[in-house]
Every structure is written in structure tokens, then in C-alpha cells.
Amino acid sequence: MSTGESTSDITEGTYRALCKHGYADVTMEDIAAETDKSKSALHYHYDSKHDLLVTFFDDLLESFTERLDAVEGETAYDRLLDLIDTVLLPPDDDSPDRGFQTAILEMKAQGPYDEAFRQHLQAHDRTLRDHVEEHLAAGVENGEFRSDLDVEASADFLVTVFNGAQTRCVAVGRPIEETRETLRAHIDSMIVADGGGR
Amino acid sequence: MSTGESTSDITEGTYRALCKHGYADVTMEDIAAETDKSKSALHYHYDSKHDLLVTFFDDLLESFTERLDAVEGETAYDRLLDLIDTVLLPPDDDSPDRGFQTAILEMKAQGPYDEAFRQHLQAHDRTLRDHVEEHLAAGVENGEFRSDLDVEASADFLVTVFNGAQTRCVAVGRPIEETRETLRAHIDSMIVADGGGR
């Protein structure tokens, strides 16, 4: 088995273990149970649970960036909506994976305490903002979006809304789909030129 | 000392202990150290740390509701902005208390696992939405806000933005003040009648 396959096995096992047990409670044993590795094999690869989770975070960020890069659509408007679906919906499932969203929220709450996590969270936040900005700037450039749009502030606002939708989904079980509808109204009124919705 | 004073001493001590240690790590000993009670006196009042934190959550929700009820301003627009300041800024301090915001985010991440916390989180979410709706409906009624405003969806969207601002403040250290500016632009364009800002 190549290192790549082994890594991907551990990544997927970690994903499943986080969904089941949450960030605070997950153990190396839980993760091993979700892979074809023994617990001691995991300890051979990683010094600690923290070390493994930081690597997991790395992989997660990389695959998230790939998904953002793969956003498509004929118009900037279509690409923006596709990005929203990419961020708010999980890759392989129509219903949001609340177990995983919860683990991510737990890790976000570690931001102030954990330097490695914080760097990943900041990189993730920046990558997301950059991608949103790119679609907004393209839409302003080709006349789809308002010429006076504050691209930077709008992108930042959208990223705030994404975070809020994810947090409320975990904390109070509010369906993430509802935010997509309101976001679309926001974009049609605030971002699209002449307030013309599609 | 009255029971009321004793409760308030414990509430304030719990607040300080959560700011210092976070939700996951805080102990009854940490909380006792921030009050004039011994650890055994705390155990006399509360069966467990969880029991104490649920009571703390109760008090928090009550004082938050009081602060929302105290929101004021001559116009619905002014009251809405005062509400935003109330939600996004802490009561006694100009700079957001990131330690406490972090503890709250940790508790939000317990929503799916902890029935008592979830009920409080849902009550908090509903109270906040209701208060926002009230100001939006008053503004529609008196002609300040758009007559075709979807009051329910707009209130829900604003609550999502509040959650996002709080989450990003904790996770990536983004200043909560920046959201206030963008929120104001959102309200001026999306909510105020004829898009007329103040």
C-alpha cells in the first residue's frame, strides 16, 4: 500500500471517528478502530492525537481548497452560488453532516488556545475569503455585479454568514438550507447590478 | 448574605473561571477559587460541574434577555443598531471578551451532545430572533423599513450574522467591530425603506 493510500485511510478514519465521538472525546483508539491500522501503528506515524489532528486539518484544508477551485458556472453569479453550495453542503451527501460540523466547531473553539489549529483556521478563513472575492471581482469587472460594490467587505460579510450558518446548525439544529435561500436574496439585492435577481 | 448575593457571587466566579480556563477544562476548584466559597460549599449547592454550568446558563440567558429588553432608541432603526451593539459587544467593556466568547462557543459545540445546553441554546436563539423581529416589524409598521420586508427571514439572517461574527472572533481573532460596519450597510440597503441610509 502506498503512503498516499495509507494517509487517505487514516484521514477517512479520523473523519469518521470525529463524527462519532467529537473532538474533545475522540481517542487514538477510536481513530484506529475506524482504519485498518493498530493503535501502535498510528503512534508510529504520529507523536500524539494532537499531531494526528493537525495533519488531518492539513488534508482537510487541501481538499477544501480543491473543492473551492473546482467551483464552476457560466456567470460570476452562478459561480458564487456554486461556491455557497460547496461551503454549506458536504461533498458526498445531500444532508449536512452534523457530527463533522460539530467537530469543526469544537476545533474553532480551540483557536485561542492552540497555535497550530489557529494557523489552520486562519488559512481556511483567508482561502475562503479569497475565493469569494475572486468571483465578486469578476462579476464587478464584467458588469454582472454593482460597479460600486465593496468587494473586500462583501466577501468578508459572506464568510461571516457561512460561519453563522454552520454554528447555528450545530448549536440549535437550524437547517443550513434556510441560510442558502436568504443568502440568495441578499446577493440579488446587495450584489447584483441594478438589484436584478435571476 | 442573602441567597441572591450568594448566587450572583457564584455566577460571577463562574464567568471569570470560564474566561480563564475554558468550558472543557474548567473545574469546580477553579470556580471556587474565583468565589468566596469552598469547593465543598459549591458541591453542597450543585450536584456536579454540569449542574452548576446549566444554572449559570440560566442566569446568563436571563440577564441577556434583560439587556435585549433594555434596548432603546427613538426610531426602530436606532433600536436595531442598539440591539446589534448589545449582542456583539459585552456589557461592561468596550473590547469583546474573547475568553468568554470562547467558552460560549465551546458550549454551542455541546449542543448536539447535551440536552440541557441545547434547550438553553435554542431558547437564547429564539429570544434573540424574537427581539430582532419586534424591531423590524415596528419599522415596517411605521414606514421606516420596506413594506415588503420578510420580517421573519430578515431576523433569522441577522441572528446568523451575529453567530458568524462571534465564531470568527474566537476562531481566527477577527475583530467583531468590523461586522457592525458591514451589518449597518446591509440594514441600510436591505431593510431601510427606499434604501435610504441615515
Side-chain angles (χ1 to χ4, degrees):
Chain A
M1 183 183 277
S2 77
T3 313
E5 276 168 15
S6 168
T7 308
S8 134
D9 175 50
I10 296 175
T11 303
E12 284 164 22
T14 305
Y15 175 88
R16 285 190 298 271
L18 280 172
C19 290
K20 279 189 192 171
H21 306 282
Y23 160 78
D25 292 331
V26 77
T27 62
M28 287 293 252
E29 213 148 0
D30 296 328
I31 296 170
E34 298 288 338
T35 68
D36 57 10
K37 306 273 177 301
S38 66
K39 191 180 151 194
S40 56
L42 281 188
H43 275 295
Y44 176 81
H45 283 291
Y46 304 98
D47 285 342
S48 62
K49 180 180 99 169
H50 183 258
D51 191 27
L52 190 157
L53 289 176
V54 169
T55 306
F56 174 74
F57 231 149
D58 258 338
D59 293 342
L60 203 66
L61 187 61
E62 199 178 318
S63 91
F64 181 70
T65 306
E66 277 166 18
R67 285 166 55 212
L68 288 181
D69 287 339
V71 156
E72 56 186 15
E74 273 193 33
T75 62
Y77 180 84
D78 291 340
R79 290 192 293 277
L80 191 57
L81 292 189
D82 193 30
L83 178 142
I84 291 170
D85 286 349
T86 302
V87 173
L88 294 183
L89 299 181
D92 303 318
D93 198 343
D94 279 2
S95 71
D97 190 331
R98 201 160 162 221
F100 188 64
Q101 293 271 13
T102 305
I104 292 290
L105 192 61
E106 288 181 275
M107 292 198 224
K108 283 181 181 173
Q110 294 302 312
Y113 305 126
D114 190 313
E115 173 68 22
F117 277 9
R118 183 165 61 250
Q119 285 183 6
H120 280 82
L121 290 165
Q122 286 172 338
H124 176 97
D125 193 86
R126 202 163 41 238
T127 300
L128 186 48
R129 253 185 305 143
D130 287 348
H131 279 80
V132 175
E133 271 187 30
E134 186 191 308
H135 301 303
L136 292 180
V140 171
E141 181 75 22
N142 73 13
E144 277 181 71
F145 297 156
R146 294 181 176 201
S147 59
D148 64 348
L149 186 73
D150 184 334
V151 167
E152 216 172 297
S154 293
D156 196 68
F157 190 67
L158 290 178
V159 172
T160 298
V161 175
F162 298 156
N163 272 270
Q166 290 158 339
T167 299
R168 285 180 81 201
C169 176
V170 172
V172 301
R174 178 175 172 285
I176 221 157
E177 287 79 359
E178 288 177 22
T179 302
R180 288 165 75 209
E181 290 312 303
T182 333
L183 255 183
R184 197 172 166 139
H186 170 84
I187 290 167
D188 287 348
S189 296
M190 292 284 286
I191 292 176
V192 171
D194 307 322
R198 307 296 163 106
Chain B
M1 186 182 275
S2 79
T3 312
E5 276 168 14
S6 168
T7 308
S8 134
D9 175 50
I10 296 175
T11 304
E12 284 164 22
T14 306
Y15 176 89
R16 284 190 298 272
L18 280 171
C19 290
K20 279 189 193 170
H21 306 283
Y23 160 77
D25 292 332
V26 76
T27 63
M28 287 292 254
E29 213 149 2
D30 295 328
I31 296 170
E34 298 289 336
T35 67
D36 57 10
K37 307 271 177 303
S38 67
K39 192 180 150 195
S40 56
L42 280 188
H43 275 294
Y44 176 79
H45 282 292
Y46 304 99
D47 284 341
S48 63
K49 180 180 100 170
H50 184 258
D51 192 27
L52 191 157
L53 289 176
V54 169
T55 306
F56 173 74
F57 230 150
D58 259 338
D59 294 342
L60 203 65
L61 188 61
E62 197 179 320
S63 90
F64 181 69
T65 306
E66 279 167 17
R67 285 165 55 211
L68 288 181
D69 287 339
V71 156
E72 57 185 15
E74 272 191 34
T75 62
Y77 181 85
D78 290 342
R79 291 191 292 277
L80 191 58
L81 292 190
D82 193 29
L83 179 142
I84 291 171
D85 285 350
T86 301
V87 173
L88 294 183
L89 299 180
D92 303 316
D93 198 343
D94 279 2
S95 71
D97 190 331
R98 202 162 161 219
F100 189 63
Q101 293 272 13
T102 305
I104 292 289
L105 191 61
E106 287 181 277
M107 292 198 224
K108 284 182 181 172
Q110 294 302 310
Y113 304 126
D114 189 314
E115 173 68 23
F117 279 9
R118 182 165 63 251
Q119 285 184 6
H120 281 81
L121 290 165
Q122 287 172 339
H124 176 97
D125 194 85
R126 203 163 40 237
T127 300
L128 186 48
R129 252 184 307 142
D130 287 348
H131 278 79
V132 175
E133 271 186 31
E134 185 191 309
H135 300 304
L136 291 180
V140 171
E141 181 74 24
N142 74 13
E144 277 180 72
F145 297 156
R146 293 181 177 202
S147 59
D148 64 348
L149 186 73
D150 185 335
V151 167
E152 216 173 297
S154 293
D156 196 69
F157 190 68
L158 290 178
V159 172
T160 299
V161 175
F162 298 156
N163 272 269
Q166 290 158 340
T167 300
R168 287 180 82 201
C169 175
V170 172
V172 302
R174 178 175 172 284
I176 221 156
E177 287 79 0
E178 286 176 23
T179 302
R180 290 164 74 208
E181 289 313 302
T182 332
L183 255 184
R184 197 173 167 139
H186 170 84
I187 290 166
D188 288 348
S189 296
M190 292 284 288
I191 291 175
V192 172
D194 307 321
R198 307 296 164 106

